[in-house]
Amino acid sequence: MDIKQLIYLCNLERERHFGRAAEASFVSQPTLSMRLKNLERELGIALINRGNNFEGFTPEGERVLAWAREIVSVYQGLKLEVESLKNGVNGTLRIGVVPQCSISLARLLKNTSDCYPQLDYRVSVLSADQLLEALTGHSVDVGIGFFELTTLNELHFQAQPLVDSGVDVVFHPEYFPHLSGTEPLTLAQVAALPLCLPEPSRYFRRYLDNSFRDAGLSLHVRMESTSIFQLLQTMVVGLGCGLFPQGSLLDEMSAPLQRRPVNIPKMNRHAAVVVAEPERVTPLAQHFFDIAKQWLTTHAA
């Protein structure tokens, strides 16, 4: 058994396809298949359900995979630690984010880059449940999203909560002049608007749907999308209004749009920046978390 076999196994879990896993491992598909068969032969158990295509892992394979994730994570952390000792803080940080969290990720990354200019970033957009799985499976180094705080405590994650400042209706005053003002809108007033919202599988959308349902109201969803960019475009042309957590949008990118707060109950889950516990966190993730924690504390003050 060697580390490459375990990396191949983890790549196969992520890609769920032999060809793509081989590409991610920078080897040919026959080489990847051969190395994984050698691993099965060495362990004396079948790890993978094989048919014409990849058909998942056996129960034994799932157990081995859990160990493989841990070992690969430690190995990658060791490599990053050595690089940091030789060259300072540099490398690529893997970040998983849930859309419409109460923070501008771009501002946070820019602040971190001012401190560590050699640090690069790979950002994946995930659902709230996928993000927790990615953190526990070590496929991301940092998570920014919505969490149950009791779950984070049980798993011993380091977490920096984000300030929940509420929700804004975002609109273009040319098309919705009656919305201009500063007084919070009621849920009934918002329910009467044509809305452009994220798809129902996103946590923020589920939170909105549940809040209005509990109030005996239904939303007029004129357009829904997985893309925040598409949602902003529809608001700029006046197709409808949007609902966003305060602090999640850059004013410079949405200059024509105005905001007005909504009187809505707080979320059940808490927004936070999360990394693994000190004994398991990668050096890059710990550096990022320390800078983010400092910046967020100042930013919230």
Side-chain angles (χ1 to χ4, degrees):
M1 183 191 311
D2 60 47
I3 191 66
K4 285 187 177 180
Q5 290 171 307
L6 301 182
I7 291 173
Y8 298 164
L9 194 68
C10 292
N11 286 343
L12 182 60
E13 180 200 23
R14 185 180 70 248
E15 300 295 337
R16 317 298 292 184
H17 185 275
F18 284 107
R20 291 195 299 271
E23 290 179 4
S25 304
F26 303 102
V27 297
S28 66
Q29 184 171 333
T31 296
L32 180 128
S33 296
M34 179 190 68
R35 296 300 304 277
L36 291 178
K37 285 180 180 177
N38 289 343
L39 178 62
E40 290 177 312
R41 190 176 300 112
E42 181 180 347
L43 296 175
I45 54 175
L47 304 176
I48 302 163
N49 293 316
R50 291 180 174 85
N52 293 330
N53 299 300
F54 173 75
E55 296 180 359
F57 295 94
T58 65
E60 297 81 3
E62 294 286 355
R63 296 289 299 274
V64 171
L65 186 60
W67 282 100
R69 292 192 209 104
E70 292 285 337
I71 294 168
V72 170
S73 175
V74 171
Y75 170 73
Q76 292 173 339
L78 173 61
K79 289 177 64 178
L80 291 172
E81 183 72 37
V82 171
E83 285 299 314
S84 295
L85 291 172
K86 291 192 299 185
N87 305 311
V89 179
N90 74 94
T92 300
L93 191 69
R94 303 168 302 168
I95 302 176
V97 299
V98 172
Q100 292 184 294
C101 218
S102 55
I103 187 177
S104 167
L105 176 61
R107 289 198 190 282
L108 178 56
L109 297 187
K110 179 60 171 65
N111 176 75
T112 307
S113 292
D114 289 343
C115 299
Y116 300 120
Q118 293 179 295
L119 195 57
D120 299 321
Y121 310 94
R122 187 173 77 219
V123 178
S124 302
V125 178
L126 305 169
S127 71
D129 295 332
Q130 287 172 336
L131 180 56
L132 188 60
E133 290 178 4
L135 283 164
T136 56
H138 307 291
S139 59
V140 299
D141 306 303
V142 178
I144 302 175
F146 301 102
F147 302 92
E148 297 283 356
L149 292 185
T150 53
T151 301
L152 295 180
N153 291 332
E154 289 170 359
L155 296 173
H156 306 292
F157 284 115
Q158 300 178 75
Q160 174 60 35
L162 303 177
V163 175
D164 182 359
S165 300
V167 175
D168 283 336
V169 168
V170 181
F171 61 95
H172 198 302
E174 179 181 344
Y175 305 104
F176 299 93
H178 63 287
L179 293 180
S180 295
T182 57
E183 286 295 314
L185 294 169
T186 66
L187 293 184
Q189 288 173 307
V190 176
L193 299 171
L195 296 171
C196 303
L197 300 177
E199 64 174 358
S201 64
R202 298 302 188 189
Y203 173 75
F204 183 69
R205 172 65 186 277
R206 297 202 306 270
Y207 154 70
L208 294 175
D209 288 343
N210 290 336
S211 296
F212 281 86
R213 188 182 301 114
D214 290 345
L217 300 166
S218 59
L219 295 172
H220 174 195
V221 183
R222 175 160 286 176
M223 195 274 275
E224 61 185 21
S225 174
T226 60
S227 168
I228 301 300
F229 177 71
Q230 293 297 332
L231 294 177
L232 286 172
Q233 282 194 322
T234 59
M235 286 175 261
V236 169
V237 300
L239 182 64
C241 305
L243 289 167
F244 286 84
Q246 292 182 14
S248 63
L249 293 177
L250 286 173
D251 292 338
E252 299 89 330
M253 289 189 65
S254 53
L257 304 176
Q258 293 184 4
R259 297 162 178 72
R260 189 165 171 185
V262 179
N263 190 2
I264 189 171
K266 296 283 188 181
M267 299 184 194
N268 291 326
R269 293 189 181 184
H270 297 266
V273 178
V274 173
V275 297
E277 61 185 320
E279 293 77 15
R280 294 178 180 270
V281 67
T282 65
L284 292 187
Q286 188 64 61
H287 284 302
F288 178 88
F289 182 76
D290 292 341
I291 290 294
K293 186 175 181 179
Q294 181 182 14
W295 182 78
L296 289 167
T297 302
T298 305
H299 191 68

